[in-house]
């Protein structure tokens, strides 16, 4: 049986490079590395350039470029498009023990700052939309607007705890992440 992703991923990488974006490894803090697909000349194309910046945040599965490939192809000519892999997905990783939306948002802000983004529109899907809302809350000067789909804007600690109790789990990690293969 052929794994279609093993064939598709190199083709996707080549297509994204032709569209003008490439993956960059950005160390946002010691031990935390973000993989961010960014314009080939990100410093020039960030807010000091002519193109407005758009950041796409994926949901709780896969990676950024697989989720947003069609949007990148449609928008890369007119916008400086940034597609990070959220921590623990794709090529982004950390040794930090924090597993919060706030930590994800802080890392996004640091990564975008290192790429020269001063202001952007953030588009988030599902979990990525939760990160987008938190990023806008933490960095209002960075986030001009948020486009969110398939997500609630705020999940309070009490709502989260109540939902976990109904499901019979102590943490969201235990609900969403497998214990074994």
């Amino acid at each position: 049986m052929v794994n279609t992703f093993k064939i598709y991923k190199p083709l996707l990488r080549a297509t994204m490079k032709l569209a003008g974006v490439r993956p960059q490894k950005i160390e946002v803090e010691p031990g935390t590395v973000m993989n961010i697909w960014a314009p080939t000349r990100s410093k020039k194309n960030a807010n000091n350039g002519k193109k407005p910046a758009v950041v796409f945040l994926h949901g709780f599965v896969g990676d950024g470029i697989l989720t947003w490939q069609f949007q990148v192809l449609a928008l890369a000519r007119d916008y400086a498009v940034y597609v990070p892999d959220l921590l623990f997905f794709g090529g982004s990783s950390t040794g930090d023990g924090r597993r919060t939306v706030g930590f994800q948002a802080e890392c996004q802000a640091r990564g975008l700052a290192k790429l020269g983004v001063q202001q952007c529109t953030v588009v988030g899907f599902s979990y990525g939309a939760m990160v987008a809302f938190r990023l806008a809350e933490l960095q209002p000067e960075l986030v001009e607007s948020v486009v969110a789909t398939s997500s609630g804007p705020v999940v309070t600690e009490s709502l989260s705890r109540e939902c976990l109790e109904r499901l019979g789990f102590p943490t969201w990690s235990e609900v969403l992440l497998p214990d074994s293969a």
Side-chain angles (χ1 to χ4, degrees), residues 119-143:
Q119 194 171 45
C120 61
T121 294
V122 182
V123 180
F125 168 71
S126 186
Y127 178 62
M130 292 170 58
V131 175
F133 284 122
R134 184 60 56 89
L135 180 59
E137 181 181 30
L138 294 173
Q139 299 283 325
E141 68 286 346
L142 171 65
V143 180

Side-chain angles (χ1 to χ4, degrees), residues 19 30 40 54-55 61 67 70 74 88 91 111 117 126-127 129 134 137 145 149 156 160 166 172 180:
T40 305
V54 178
V55 177
V61 69
T67 302
F70 300 112
F88 317 109
V117 178
S126 186
Y127 178 62
R134 184 60 56 89
E137 181 181 30
S145 59
T149 182
T156 64
S160 180
R166 275 186 283 146
W172 283 109
S180 67

Side-chain angles (χ1 to χ4, degrees), residues 3 5 14-15 37 48 62 69 71 77 86 89 98 110 116 124-125 127-128 134 141-142 146 156 158 172:
N3 182 340
F5 283 106
T15 302
W37 287 80
N48 292 329
Q69 59 189 299
Q71 289 77 9
R77 175 174 284 150
L86 294 171
F89 299 93
R98 291 179 283 174
R110 289 185 193 126
F125 168 71
Y127 178 62
R134 184 60 56 89
E141 68 286 346
L142 171 65
V146 172
T156 64
S158 61
W172 283 109

Side-chain angles (χ1 to χ4, degrees), residues 173-174 176-181:
S173 297
E174 291 189 34
L176 299 168
L177 301 174
D179 291 335
S180 67

Side-chain angles (χ1 to χ4, degrees), residues 30-167:
T32 300
V33 177
M34 301 286 306
N35 181 60
I36 302 176
W37 287 80
T40 305
R41 293 182 185 91
S42 62
K43 293 284 186 188
K44 180 181 176 191
N45 290 337
N47 293 78
N48 292 329
K50 296 175 184 159
K51 295 181 178 183
V54 178
V55 177
F56 288 99
L57 300 177
H58 64 85
F60 198 86
V61 69
D63 64 24
I65 209 65
L66 275 173
T67 302
W68 298 107
Q69 59 189 299
F70 300 112
Q71 289 77 9
V72 171
L73 292 172
L75 298 174
R77 175 174 284 150
D78 299 318
Y79 295 87
V81 177
Y82 298 85
V83 186
D85 290 337
L86 294 171
L87 291 172
F88 317 109
F89 299 93
S92 294
S93 63
T94 186
D96 193 300
R98 291 179 283 174
R99 303 289 190 264
T100 65
V101 171
F103 181 60
Q104 290 276 9
E106 291 169 17
C107 291
Q108 295 304 320
R110 289 185 193 126
L112 292 169
K114 288 191 176 204
L115 290 170
V117 178
Q118 296 170 349
Q119 194 171 45
C120 61
T121 294
V122 182
V123 180
F125 168 71
S126 186
Y127 178 62
M130 292 170 58
V131 175
F133 284 122
R134 184 60 56 89
L135 180 59
E137 181 181 30
L138 294 173
Q139 299 283 325
E141 68 286 346
L142 171 65
V143 180
E144 184 176 28
S145 59
V146 172
V147 178
T149 182
S150 300
S151 181
V154 178
V155 177
T156 64
E157 202 58 42
S158 61
L159 283 173
S160 180
R161 198 172 23 259
E162 182 182 315
C163 187
L164 283 169
E165 286 173 9
R166 275 186 283 146
L167 293 171

